[in-house]
């Protein structure tokens, strides 16, 4: 399928600055631990990371979101533009740009706490008004923006069937059945899938089973399973795609975002869900081989 038959990916999502340090282990309560690296300050945020990945995987990407009137906001928007993303839907508000505090362990796993800041200014009204510019699109959201805005997208999309809602519910939060029912797919990791269903998601068999449970509440579902790849339910059939082998794991921050962005790019070319998941798994594997959360350009 050629690029001319693709539809845009509109990311209505979060923009953060990521303050990252490497740590030897997770500190205990009351303990002061010395980091093993200096602090790095890089553009991040699940929305921005996913937008960059979708663009790197060939999609025409537009961003709707909010940043503060500060250096972090300007720098983040510039990095999106530099990746070829249309940022006319990014609004500058009087709340600071979101900040993520990221600790990376020696094996590359991460712990993240986010101060949403300006991301919480993406109100339902602002979102719906910004979406007016798009006749037909994949609209990609995450759990870092207000839940009311995710619900507003869902109601809006029921009146505009040419908008396909792809929701990465990270972090997990409770959503109503009508909102879930529009997601095609809803994408969660193992932890979020357990939070949603109360079921353990440890093995591939668990992943396939729980993807079907969640997928029946939505239109389709994908569960990312780290080094085990990803499981999915496309509304009809379930399956599993294994992850490619990776050499040294450097930093897993943003691996899920690489996955989601590549998956959205694939859907924008009308690929079926199993092919989109396969593309996502390749992007997720590549994202753990370098520092930081955003896929580098060529
Ligand atoms: O998924 C990784 C991202 O989560 C980081 O870039 C951080 O900003 C948080 O949003």
């Amino acid at each position: 399928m050629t690029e001319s038959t693709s539809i845009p990916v509109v990311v209505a999502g979060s923009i953060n600055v990521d303050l990252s340090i490497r740590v030897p282990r997770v500190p205990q309560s009351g303990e002061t631990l010395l980091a093993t690296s200096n602090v790095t300050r890089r553009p991040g945020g699940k929305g921005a990371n996913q937008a960059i990945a979708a663009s790197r995987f060939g999609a025409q990407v537009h961003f709707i979101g909010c940043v503060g009137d500060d250096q972090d906001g300007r720098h983040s928007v510039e990095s999106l533009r530099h990746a070829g993303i249309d940022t006319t839907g990014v609004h500058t508000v009087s709340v600071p740009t979101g900040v993520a505090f990221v600790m990376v362990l020696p094996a590359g796993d991460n712990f993240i706490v986010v101060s949403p800041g300006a991301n919480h200014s993406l109100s339902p009204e602002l979102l719906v008004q910004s979406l007016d510019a798009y006749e037909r699109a994949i609209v990609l959201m995450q759990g870092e923006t207000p839940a009311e805005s995710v619900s507003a997208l869902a109601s809006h999309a029921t009146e505009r069937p040419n908008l396909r809602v792809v929701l990465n519910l990270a972090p997990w939060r409770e959503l109503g059945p009508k909102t879930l029912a529009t997601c095609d797919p809803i994408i969660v990791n193992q932890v979020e899938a357990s939070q949603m269903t109360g079921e353990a998601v440890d093995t591939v068999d668990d992943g396939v089973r729980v993807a079907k449970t969640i997928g029946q509440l939505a239109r389709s579902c994908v569960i990312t399973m780290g080094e085990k790849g990803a499981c999915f339910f496309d509304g009809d059939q379930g399956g599993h795609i294994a992850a490619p082998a990776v050499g040294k794991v450097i930093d897993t921050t943003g691996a899920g975002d690489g996955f989601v962005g590549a998956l959205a790019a694939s859907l924008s070319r009308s690929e079926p869900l199993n092919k989109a998941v396969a593309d996502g798994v390749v992007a997720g594997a590549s994202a753990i081989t370098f520092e930081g959360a955003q896929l580098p350009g060529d």
Side-chain angles (χ1 to χ4, degrees), residues 12 64 122-134 148-149 151-157 159-160 163:
I64 298 171
L122 183 59
S123 63
E125 297 73 30
L126 187 57
L127 171 64
V128 169
Q129 181 197 322
S130 306
L131 283 173
D132 267 350
Y134 306 98
E148 314 83 76
S149 300
S151 301
L153 166 64
S155 331
H156 187 66
E159 291 153 27
R160 305 263 312 274
L163 300 181

Side-chain angles (χ1 to χ4, degrees), residues 7-13 50 60 62-64 122 127-128 130-132 134-142 149-150 152-154 156-157 160-168 182-187 260 263-264 267-268:
I7 60 173
V9 173
V10 178
V11 181
Q50 292 173 15
Q60 178 202 333
H62 303 255
F63 205 98
I64 298 171
L122 183 59
L127 171 64
V128 169
S130 306
L131 283 173
D132 267 350
Y134 306 98
E135 192 61 38
R136 200 163 168 241
I138 304 286
V139 185
L140 173 57
M141 289 195 81
Q142 310 78 33
S149 300
V150 175
L153 166 64
H156 187 66
R160 305 263 312 274
N162 285 336
L163 300 181
R164 179 174 181 171
V165 178
V166 176
L167 175 64
N168 174 216
T182 61
C183 299
D184 191 14
I186 179 165
I187 307 166
V260 172
L263 178 145
L267 295 180
S268 78

Side-chain angles (χ1 to χ4, degrees), residues 13-17 63-70 72-74 76-77 89-100 114-123 126 144-146 149:
S14 55
I15 296 176
N16 295 330
V17 59
F63 205 98
I64 298 171
C66 296
V67 293
D69 185 9
D70 48 38
D72 288 332
R74 286 185 280 278
S76 299
V77 172
V90 179
H91 303 266
T92 301
V93 297
S94 58
V95 180
T97 298
V99 180
V114 175
S115 164
N119 294 309
H120 272 187
S121 301
L122 183 59
S123 63
L126 187 57
E144 287 184 331
T145 43
S149 300

Side-chain angles (χ1 to χ4, degrees), residues 7 21 34 40 75 119 127 146 155 157 174 273 277 294:
I7 60 173
I21 46 170
L34 294 181
T40 60
H75 186 213
N119 294 309
L127 171 64
S155 331
E174 196 89 48
L273 189 63
V277 172
Q294 297 192 341

Side-chain angles (χ1 to χ4, degrees), residues 11-28:
V11 181
S14 55
I15 296 176
N16 295 330
V17 59
D18 287 359
L19 301 182
S20 304
I21 46 170
R22 296 202 76 104
V23 290
R25 57 184 169 76
V26 181
Q28 297 173 39

